[in-house]
Amino acid sequence: MRYAIFLIASVLLMAPVNAAVTPELDARASLDVVQRWIYNYRAKPDYAHVPAAVRVLFHAQTFKEPENAGIYLGFIAGAIGSNPSKAEQLVTSMFPVAPEDEWVIVRAIAYSGLSDWRYLLRKVAPRMPGRKVMIDSYLAGKLPTLAEIPLEETKPGMFDKIRGVFTKNPFAKDDKKLKMIQTFAGNQDLLDTLWGYYFATGSHVPVLRIMQMLPWSKSRDTVDKLSIGSMARYTLASYAVRDTGLREFLRSELATQPEAIKVPLGEVVEAADTVQLTAVRKDALAAVEELKVKGSDARRNLDFWGQVGVGAVALGCVSAAALGQVAIGIPCVIGGSASQGLLSFWEKQQ
């Protein structure tokens, strides 16, 4: 797992949010100056200098590795979406762009939240012929906008899986194998992107989305979800330490959020109020390490059922096994050597 977001957070948190925006910002500014400028932008928006900041980001090759460029992508998207009347002018000012970086403009427009983002994307498409496939995919809805990306992939329930045994066409193509489902649970860079959008707009919409990931900080499902949930918890606390407005917003949400979010959110607010960030970071790293050593809750449950030995534990278990569909999401215990074989098969499907 990558922990780049911790490093980015430490850089951006070096300057207080109320610091003056650098008036000399231009394409010759250093990346460090632009990083500070981005973090302070929401306190004093400086829309006129956004093109210069973007040129610095391109020149510094910050988009060379897309998975590590989420904050910058989110900032550009937020800048485009924050001023609809000047969005086209802003996007046009970013050209010319190196062919390998054109994807940034395409995705930033799609992620901008503009009501007419498709119109803007079509208008600038002729300037990026090498990104036609990507542009067409967004326009056709094959690639999701930032608001359309789900937190995690919806898993079918037990009865849905059993129903699929009888209704699925064995000759049909498996769409899951043909495309990757993009989710926040499987992409750490999307968390960064939400923060970048917040820096550009000061909007609480991306913050609310980040808060929805907090229950994962208590999860023992997968290392990915635990890591991203822990990073959501850590970054919320980190930025709230120096951002009074953010801290007050998080505190105001405590009374309305469901228990699964309220508990870790309360920890975030307390850590921000008392500036106990080290404890939050250590807790996150310890939780990830424990999960790696002990395995997921599903694996721990599997160990438990493996010791039970005899008895069917769920309706449809035996019939599913007879149909060769043991991997329906439950550990089927039938007894004897057969049970061990089924458990082993089920484990491999996780």
Side-chain angles (χ1 to χ4, degrees):
M1 290 299 299
R2 300 177 295 112
Y3 292 94
I5 193 169
F6 290 123
L7 301 178
I8 294 174
S10 64
V11 172
L12 295 177
L13 287 168
M14 290 174 64
V17 71
N18 294 322
V21 175
T22 308
E24 300 84 11
L25 182 64
D26 58 31
R28 296 169 296 178
S30 68
L31 180 59
D32 181 63
V33 168
V34 171
Q35 287 174 332
R36 292 169 183 264
W37 182 85
I38 287 175
Y39 179 68
N40 289 288
Y41 183 89
R42 66 197 181 281
K44 187 178 179 182
D46 184 17
Y47 198 79
H49 284 95
V50 171
V54 173
R55 283 193 289 273
V56 172
L57 295 176
F58 282 134
H59 180 72
Q61 296 186 321
T62 54
F63 301 103
K64 185 177 181 180
E65 297 182 13
E67 292 184 353
N68 295 327
I71 281 185
Y72 307 122
L73 170 65
F75 179 82
I76 296 174
I80 294 172
S82 65
N83 198 332
S85 64
K86 296 183 178 179
E88 183 179 342
Q89 179 183 343
L90 175 59
V91 171
T92 301
S93 70
M94 298 178 189
F95 290 97
V97 181
E100 61 269 22
D101 288 332
E102 290 176 345
W103 70 269
V104 177
I105 295 181
V106 176
R107 186 159 293 166
I109 293 174
Y111 282 9
S112 66
L114 289 173
S115 59
D116 60 347
W117 66 268
R118 285 185 174 85
Y119 167 80
L120 178 56
L121 187 55
R122 288 190 184 98
K123 195 157 187 180
V124 299
R127 307 188 69 163
M128 301 177 288
R131 291 298 173 184
K132 186 180 186 309
V133 173
M134 184 180 186
I135 292 172
D136 290 345
S137 294
Y138 274 115
L139 294 176
K142 293 180 181 179
L143 288 176
T145 63
L146 187 60
E148 294 171 340
I149 298 174
L151 284 176
E152 58 184 317
E153 184 179 354
T154 302
K155 295 181 179 180
M158 180 184 72
F159 291 104
D160 292 325
K161 293 181 179 180
I162 294 175
R163 188 184 305 114
V165 173
F166 300 99
T167 61
K168 184 177 179 180
N169 182 352
F171 302 102
K173 293 182 179 179
D174 189 344
D175 290 338
K176 272 188 161 184
K177 295 179 180 179
L178 297 177
K179 64 179 180 180
M180 293 292 289
I181 299 177
Q182 189 178 29
T183 65
F184 281 93
N187 295 273
Q188 176 187 312
D189 57 299
L190 290 174
L191 173 61
D192 298 353
T193 302
L194 290 175
W195 277 120
Y197 200 98
Y198 171 71
F199 294 150
T201 64
S203 169
H204 290 146
V205 173
V207 176
L208 288 169
R209 193 64 162 161
I210 294 170
M211 285 167 49
Q212 290 181 303
M213 304 177 200
L214 286 176
W216 296 344
S217 66
K218 306 294 184 180
S219 169
R220 296 301 182 268
D221 187 4
T222 67
V223 173
D224 283 349
K225 285 175 64 174
L226 175 59
S227 298
I228 293 174
S230 297
M231 289 178 186
R233 179 168 167 255
Y234 177 81
T235 52
L236 280 168
S238 297
Y239 292 128
V241 165
R242 295 174 181 260
D243 189 335
T244 303
L246 175 60
R247 190 163 65 251
E248 291 305 316
F249 173 73
L250 296 178
R251 183 178 288 108
S252 71
E253 286 293 312
L254 284 172
T256 60
Q257 292 297 325
E259 196 68 17
I261 294 178
K262 184 177 181 178
V263 172
L265 181 59
E267 297 170 352
V268 166
V269 173
E270 182 179 359
D273 283 338
T274 60
V275 197
Q276 295 293 321
L277 300 179
T278 300
V280 175
R281 181 174 60 83
K282 287 184 177 179
D283 180 60
L285 295 175
V288 171
E289 187 60 31
E290 178 188 11
L291 180 57
K292 288 180 178 178
V293 173
K294 294 184 178 180
S296 67
D297 285 341
R299 177 66 190 114
R300 296 178 200 180
N301 289 338
L302 180 64
D303 290 337
F304 170 76
W305 287 116
Q307 295 169 10
V308 172
V310 181
V313 298
L315 179 65
C317 179
V318 176
S319 61
L323 292 169
Q325 299 291 331
V326 178
I328 59 173
I330 53 174
C332 300
V333 182
I334 297 177
S337 59
S339 68
Q340 296 304 314
L342 293 174
L343 285 165
S344 176
F345 180 82
W346 183 79
E347 177 184 5
K348 292 177 182 178
Q349 310 308 307
Q350 307 308 306

